[in-house]
Amino acid sequence: IRHAITRTVGVERLLGAGRKLVGHFKHSAVSAENLQQKQIQLNPEKRPVVVLQDVSTRWNSSFFMLQRLLELRTVLTVVLSDSSITPKKEHRDFLLKDQQWS
């Protein structure tokens, strides 16, 4: 399955963009904290979740990573769009394009 994924250009690009986005939240305590706070603000009755990083030895982890990103799409966009949290230059680097979300 890994071989098929790496040979499919669109999928490999999507996974790369997703990994970059997840990496940002895994390496930035400020962004991760704001992600959690925004989830609570937007949906107080639901428990906040974190982004998931895929693991190369587990093919289904890529699926779970993309699934979680879709689940958090609105909150991720809000946090990344806030220039007090994410500088404008970085915002453009991490935000996925509309066609990547669908």
Side-chain angles (χ1 to χ4, degrees):
I1 290 178
R2 177 67 50 199
H3 180 68
I5 290 172
T6 58
R7 297 201 66 166
T8 308
V9 177
V11 174
E12 188 59 30
R13 278 196 210 133
L14 175 61
L15 288 172
R19 288 178 187 125
K20 188 174 183 180
L21 181 57
V22 169
H24 169 71
F25 284 94
K26 291 286 187 185
H27 291 102
S28 171
V30 172
S31 292
E33 178 63 29
N34 279 285
L35 179 65
Q36 188 175 32
Q37 289 175 0
K38 291 292 182 188
Q39 288 179 72
I40 293 168
Q41 283 178 350
L42 295 173
N43 197 352
E45 59 276 345
K46 188 176 177 191
R47 193 168 152 238
V49 295
V50 296
V51 292
L52 298 175
Q53 181 72 53
D54 67 339
V55 180
S56 62
T57 56
R58 299 188 180 273
W59 71 268
N60 58 347
S61 68
S62 297
F63 170 76
F64 292 132
M65 176 185 71
L66 295 175
Q67 186 179 43
R68 181 61 57 86
L69 290 176
L70 280 171
E71 178 185 341
L72 293 173
R73 179 182 181 180
T74 302
V75 182
L76 289 168
T77 303
V78 169
V79 172
L80 289 171
S81 298
D82 187 341
S83 60
S84 68
I85 302 167
T86 309
K88 289 255 186 222
K89 179 188 179 289
E90 290 181 22
H91 168 261
R92 288 189 304 264
D93 292 342
F94 296 120
L95 201 58
L96 298 177
K97 296 175 179 66
D98 285 336
Q99 70 239 31
Q100 291 174 305
W101 286 111
S102 51

